[in-house]
Amino acid sequence: MHQMRGRSFEPAIALGIARRCRWGMPQVLLCVPFFRGKPFPTTFWLSCPFLAMMCSQMEALGGIKQLEEFMKDNADDRDWLDFNVEHALLRLALLSRGERRYLQKARKGMMDRLRLSGVGGIARRSGFNVKCLHLQVASWLALRKHPAESWLKERLSTVECEEPDRFCIN
């Protein structure tokens, strides 16, 4: 968590490391689906400062809209829906038995939100709604697949920095 350099992150949200880079540093964290009485929609958190910087730069240059356009022109609606369903199922599987019982009995609306939303808590509906590139890259790296994998690979020709001392703090 030290490598997050000023980014707001509560360490208790992390369940573990979903992917490490070749330098042994966490690139993607696996997060709890329910935290402090609320759904936490980000299953995979991009913790790598190098990749976070790359995603921020791409977003500043219109990357979200570009990815949505790419998906509209090249991806299959069913693949995107399946990818989002997979996220919802994973979130549900990560709930403890007690959390699941509590949500089913006392907070059905929250349970429905966890069950019916996809990557980053985005409502599953027709069309391609990306929300943020950090979420998409983290999901792609953790799951080793994405409906727009070719676009992500083209934009991120490398997913690891060449100078870990410049980006990572142990």
Side-chain angles (χ1 to χ4, degrees), residues 14-125:
L15 283 173
I17 297 168
R19 181 177 168 131
R20 290 183 183 272
C21 70
R22 68 180 172 189
W23 308 107
M25 301 301 292
Q27 281 187 312
V28 180
L29 302 176
L30 176 66
C31 299
V32 297
F34 191 69
F35 186 69
R36 293 187 178 154
K38 296 181 190 171
F40 187 74
T42 305
T43 305
F44 300 110
W45 185 283
L46 191 63
S47 60
C48 171
F50 171 73
L51 287 173
M53 179 191 71
M54 298 289 288
C55 287
S56 293
Q57 289 173 350
M58 289 183 344
E59 283 183 3
L61 296 171
I64 293 171
K65 185 164 181 52
Q66 292 169 19
L67 177 55
E68 288 174 342
E69 287 297 318
F70 172 86
M71 290 173 59
K72 187 174 119 187
D73 295 341
N74 299 288
D76 183 279
D77 278 344
R78 187 76 217 165
D79 290 343
W80 179 241
L81 179 62
D82 289 348
F83 191 68
N84 281 277
V85 167
E86 187 174 341
H87 271 266
L89 292 173
L90 177 57
R91 261 196 314 277
L92 293 175
L94 292 171
L95 288 170
S96 71
R97 182 179 289 169
E99 288 169 333
R100 200 171 303 120
R101 255 190 254 128
Y102 167 73
L103 289 168
Q104 287 170 336
K105 291 181 193 270
R107 306 300 300 265
K108 183 144 177 34
M110 278 188 194
M111 182 63 154
D112 287 344
R113 236 183 350 191
L114 286 168
R115 190 175 54 78
L116 297 173
S117 60
V119 179
I122 299 169
R124 290 193 319 251
R125 56 182 176 263

